[in-house]
Amino acid sequence: MEKKQTVLTGITTSGTPHLGNLVGAILPAIEASSEEQNKSFLFLADYHSLIKNTDSELTHSSSFEIAACWLACGLDPKEVVFYRQSDISHIFELAWILGCMTSKGLLNRAHAYKAALAENENTGSSDLDKGITMGLYNYPILMAADILMFNADIVPVGQDQKQHIEMTRDIALRFNHHYGELLTPPEAQISEITGILPGLDGRKMSKSYNNTIPIFLDEKKLKKSVMKIKTNSLEPGEPKDSSNCTVFSLYKAISSESDLNELKSQYDNGIAWGKAKTILFDRLNEFLKPYKNEYDRIIEDRGYVEQVLIDGANKAKEVSTPLIKKIRSAVGIRGF
Ligand code: TRP
């Protein structure tokens, strides 16, 4: 049998999960985890979240909600090693070791850090590093440790994370060159679908545009959200273009080919926007309901979520424990 490839990705534990996350990231990741040749590691990047957020209650509740969300969307903890980053102390130990091997110049080039510098420059601040923490600066190193601690082969991420994977490769190669071949330089797998799903205003659905459709809305709010979708001023009876139409694109993301063709012909026949939105709402509601029901059930059982993550951490440690041992020894940190 061919050796399984390790597919690993981190989930940011902030924000309210929305339809774009669901169809662009969550469902494809869960789908990929059931493929025979993959061994999947999915983890909550909870220590990464401290960079953006110092409200401890929010850190805690977001982490729980995102864990419950993935379980509700069908993640099977028997198929996937599902864990909290914070439960694996080896990651943080490795981050230190990698930091000692990483030139400051490499991190100076990180997009997020450069953007923060540019922001200070634009606002005319005399201190270009104003408000920039070491957490933000070291973010790529912690991410490299997340990945290298499990010798991941493939890391599915959005386009915005590509640079981090390239840095991870650089760091792994430098380590291997110096201390021997212990780390696997990973490949990024950039998802293409994520960019496509439009939000309520027609731009990409994203929490930064405030145009999302959250997954776990109650029916009334979901309807209100759908009714807010921006359309044009064509009247009922006037033919409408289904390409470049937010309502149609959202419908497309969750419908079969034949249902799509049916709606398309209604567009050609001049369907009223209100009617098209109602059709979309009904479909969305039907699509999201099982996830919402499961979510409502899971969040009542905090002990279950905790146990799943503890079991996941134990499985993750079966991989990280022997590797950190070898790494320590390779760098010269070993018993006398
Ligand atoms: N930085 C990633 C993001 O913002 C999240 C993340 C943290 C991650 N550690 C990771 C993704 C390791 C892949 C692998 O989406």
Side-chain angles (χ1 to χ4, degrees), residues 6-9 11 33 39-44 75-84 88 150 308-319:
T6 298
V7 180
L8 174 146
T9 201
I11 306 162
S33 70
K39 181 161 174 55
S40 281
F41 287 71
L42 271 173
F43 69 95
L44 303 162
L75 182 146
D76 177 356
K78 290 193 280 302
E79 293 274 357
V80 180
V81 184
F82 182 48
Y83 56 100
R84 274 178 295 229
I88 316 294
F150 298 95
V308 162
L309 292 169
I310 290 174
D311 292 345
N314 286 334
K315 281 194 256 171
K317 279 186 255 181
E318 286 171 21
V319 178

Side-chain angles (χ1 to χ4, degrees), residues 246-271:
T246 305
V247 174
F248 196 84
S249 302
L250 291 171
Y251 189 79
K252 184 173 172 185
I254 54 172
S255 302
S256 68
E257 195 72 31
S258 65
D259 285 354
L260 264 188
N261 288 335
E262 163 62 28
L263 185 62
K264 164 117 183 32
S265 66
Q266 295 200 55
Y267 267 61
D268 295 341
N269 293 330
I271 188 175

Side-chain angles (χ1 to χ4, degrees), residues 29-323:
I30 292 174
E31 174 82 23
S33 70
S34 65
E35 280 170 30
E36 187 58 35
Q37 80 274 18
N38 291 345
K39 181 161 174 55
S40 281
F41 287 71
L42 271 173
F43 69 95
L44 303 162
D46 52 355
Y47 263 128
H48 271 121
S49 80
L50 286 190
I51 292 165
K52 288 188 199 136
N53 167 37
T54 52
D55 174 345
S56 71
E57 274 316 307
L58 187 64
T59 298
H60 186 241
S61 61
S62 301
S63 182
F64 174 73
E65 283 159 18
I66 299 285
C69 165
W70 279 74
L71 291 169
C73 293
L75 182 146
D76 177 356
K78 290 193 280 302
E79 293 274 357
V80 180
V81 184
F82 182 48
Y83 56 100
R84 274 178 295 229
Q85 178 190 41
S86 58
D87 282 334
I88 316 294
S89 54
H90 300 146
I91 294 172
F92 308 94
E93 187 175 348
L94 180 58
W96 175 258
I97 297 172
L98 298 177
C100 294
M101 302 234 64
T102 305
S103 64
K104 177 168 174 286
L106 182 75
L107 295 185
N108 286 343
R109 291 193 285 278
H111 298 321
Y113 171 64
K114 276 171 60 179
L117 282 183
E119 173 76 23
N120 283 334
E121 201 167 351
N122 290 339
T123 54
S125 172
S126 58
D127 175 11
L128 286 185
D129 278 321
K130 187 170 171 218
I132 301 177
T133 62
M134 285 308 293
L136 176 80
Y137 194 72
N138 280 329
Y139 188 111
I141 297 186
L142 183 55
M143 186 158 158
D146 290 332
I147 296 168
L148 299 174
M149 193 69 265
F150 298 95
N151 273 333
D153 300 296
I154 308 282
V155 184
V157 282
Q159 178 67 33
D160 62 324
Q161 297 296 310
K162 193 166 167 229
Q163 187 194 32
H164 289 150
I165 311 303
E166 284 159 4
M167 289 181 160
T168 302
R169 289 180 63 85
D170 281 359
I171 295 171
L173 291 172
R174 186 193 280 237
F175 180 97
N176 287 350
H177 179 71
H178 208 83
Y179 292 120
E181 300 284 321
L182 286 175
L183 304 178
T184 306
E187 297 284 342
Q189 188 182 72
I190 308 294
S191 93
E192 280 144 27
I193 343 171
T194 18
I196 294 168
L197 200 78
L200 302 179
D201 58 359
R203 291 186 289 175
K204 173 187 170 180
M205 189 179 290
S206 159
K207 67 179 173 209
S208 41
Y209 294 148
N210 203 8
N211 65 357
T212 68
I213 300 177
I215 310 177
F216 305 122
L217 282 183
D218 65 47
E219 228 172 280
K220 246 170 126 179
K221 289 196 177 131
L222 180 62
K223 184 153 202 172
K224 235 173 136 179
S225 213
V226 171
M227 293 305 157
K228 273 204 302 216
I229 295 173
K230 212 167 129 189
T231 52
N232 56 30
S233 55
L234 290 174
E235 298 286 336
E238 294 186 78
K240 296 177 176 66
D241 184 6
S242 61
S243 59
N244 251 325
C245 168
T246 305
V247 174
F248 196 84
S249 302
L250 291 171
Y251 189 79
K252 184 173 172 185
I254 54 172
S255 302
S256 68
E257 195 72 31
S258 65
D259 285 354
L260 264 188
N261 288 335
E262 163 62 28
L263 185 62
K264 164 117 183 32
S265 66
Q266 295 200 55
Y267 267 61
D268 295 341
N269 293 330
I271 188 175
W273 284 126
K275 178 82 193 303
K277 286 179 178 180
T278 303
I279 292 174
L280 172 62
F281 163 73
D282 289 340
R283 170 57 47 88
L284 254 179
N285 193 32
E286 179 193 342
F287 178 75
L288 293 176
K289 200 170 225 151
Y291 300 122
K292 164 123 176 76
N293 289 345
E294 194 58 7
Y295 183 75
D296 290 345
R297 193 182 68 77
I298 290 174
I299 54 172
E300 291 304 316
D301 195 352
R302 300 180 77 87
Y304 166 74
V305 177
E306 182 63 25
Q307 194 56 51
V308 162
L309 292 169
I310 290 174
D311 292 345
N314 286 334
K315 281 194 256 171
K317 279 186 255 181
E318 286 171 21
V319 178
S320 65
T321 305
L323 183 56

